[in-house]
Amino acid sequence: MKKFHILTIFPEFFEGFANTGIVSKAVKKGLVYLNTVNLRDYTTDKHRTVDDVVYGGGPGMLLKPEPIFRAYEEISKEKKPYVLITEPWGRRFDQKFAQELSEKDEIMIICGRYEGVDERVKAIVDQEVSIGDFVLSGGEPAALVIMDAVIRLIPGVVGDEDSLRVDSFSDGLVGYPNYTRPPVFNGMEVPQILRSGNHKLIELWRRWKQIENTYKKRPDLLKKADLSEKDKKILHYIKKGKKFEDFISDNKV
């Protein structure tokens, strides 16, 4: 069972997430355990204070270290979790990072608020993580993104696990276009090749489209993608402005 411990001052933020879609199914199957921890439960004053002013002056408030440490220490009595904290300057969250996290048994996510957290909290953090170069009102939305991406990689969560293999970024490239019925809609037709029944040709077309989409939309990914010799030949054709039909004809596919 994969365990997530989410440290937050807004536990209600995660109620819908835990009761919706594949996450809900994963929880019911016993594949995932979501422990939403209200930091106010780890305060000691009657006002349940979780924040305070910034030493040295400055705008806003910071989350205090004591409630976070108390929650961490209680959870760690059974097993130390891998601790993440959401920060805009942290390691960029991507599919590779999601794969790495899917191999951890227990993950704790500290959701910052206000102007952030007291820097001393970083003593228990294994990795600062960011979902993009923008600022959110708190770490909760980022925590949802991280958990959703990781949970779907857990064996048994996604019904058709072959779908994980063809997901965008699963092999470093973006995905290929997909279609369903009807075959013609508003004058737009599903590519004939997908209705041909020729699975070898369909697979090749999809690979062509993956490489073509990546070249057009995210060329930076091609620099680090592990391309086969056939992939490199496809990319060469695409760069020269040639079509899939040219590739088939020239290579007698």
Side-chain angles (χ1 to χ4, degrees):
M1 177 188 288
K2 175 80 64 185
K3 293 184 178 180
F4 290 91
H5 307 280
I6 309 103
L7 275 55
T8 175
I9 60 172
F10 295 114
E12 63 274 15
F13 193 95
F14 298 91
E15 291 175 3
F17 176 73
N19 293 290
T20 305
I22 65 167
V23 176
S24 174
K25 292 177 182 178
V27 171
K28 289 175 182 176
K29 286 181 180 179
L31 299 173
V32 172
Y33 172 69
L34 299 180
N35 178 29
T36 306
V37 179
N38 188 343
L39 287 173
R40 295 191 188 278
D41 292 340
Y42 290 87
T43 57
T44 56
D45 66 305
K46 66 178 182 180
H47 299 295
R48 305 178 79 198
T49 307
V50 293
D51 61 322
D52 211 330
V53 297
V54 181
Y55 268 120
M61 307 285 277
L62 285 180
L63 287 181
K64 292 163 62 66
E66 304 101 301
I68 295 173
F69 270 85
R70 291 191 190 106
Y72 168 79
E73 288 163 2
E74 181 175 300
I75 292 168
S76 297
K77 286 177 182 177
E78 292 186 18
K79 184 173 183 178
K80 182 191 178 306
Y82 186 80
V83 182
L84 304 174
I85 188 168
T86 54
E87 294 282 16
W89 53 77
R91 175 182 170 183
R92 179 65 65 89
F93 186 69
D94 55 17
Q95 193 65 21
K96 181 175 182 293
F97 196 2
Q99 289 280 1
E100 291 175 18
L101 292 177
S102 72
E103 297 170 6
K104 307 289 185 186
D105 293 329
E106 295 196 28
I107 297 170
M108 175 181 287
I109 305 177
I110 302 171
C111 301
R113 273 279 159 176
Y114 313 121
E115 294 302 310
V117 302
D118 186 292
E119 187 66 20
R120 289 166 290 188
V121 169
K122 305 296 176 61
I124 60 173
V125 171
D126 294 296
Q127 183 73 64
E128 296 174 319
V129 57
S130 167
I131 63 168
D133 294 337
F134 48 87
V135 179
L136 298 169
S137 58
E140 287 80 9
L144 289 182
V145 169
I146 293 165
M147 288 192 292
D148 189 82
V150 173
I151 287 171
R152 65 191 311 278
L153 295 175
I154 299 170
V157 170
V158 175
D160 182 3
E161 295 193 7
D162 282 343
S163 65
L164 298 178
R165 180 178 56 81
V166 298
D167 277 344
S168 293
F169 307 111
S170 60
D171 64 351
L173 303 179
V174 303
Y176 51 76
N178 283 298
Y179 301 83
T180 187
R181 294 181 180 86
V184 181
F185 176 72
N186 282 356
M188 297 176 285
E189 188 173 357
V190 174
Q192 185 60 43
I193 192 170
L194 296 177
R195 295 180 279 160
S196 68
N198 187 331
H199 296 293
K200 182 179 178 181
L201 204 57
I202 290 172
E203 185 178 353
L204 181 60
W205 180 87
R206 284 174 168 169
R207 190 60 176 175
W208 172 283
K209 286 297 182 180
Q210 266 197 286
I211 295 170
E212 183 179 54
N213 284 347
T214 306
Y215 177 68
K216 290 179 178 179
K217 300 174 182 178
R218 289 292 305 275
D220 57 298
L221 296 176
L222 290 168
K223 296 176 183 179
K224 50 188 177 182
D226 186 16
L227 300 179
S228 67
E229 289 305 313
K230 182 186 288 186
D231 291 337
K232 292 175 183 177
K233 184 178 286 188
I234 288 173
L235 180 58
H236 176 71
Y237 269 69
I238 291 169
K239 285 182 174 180
K240 292 185 71 174
K242 294 194 173 185
K243 298 181 178 180
F244 178 67
E245 291 73 18
D246 299 325
F247 184 83
I248 293 175
S249 175
D250 293 347
N251 292 276
K252 297 180 173 59
V253 176

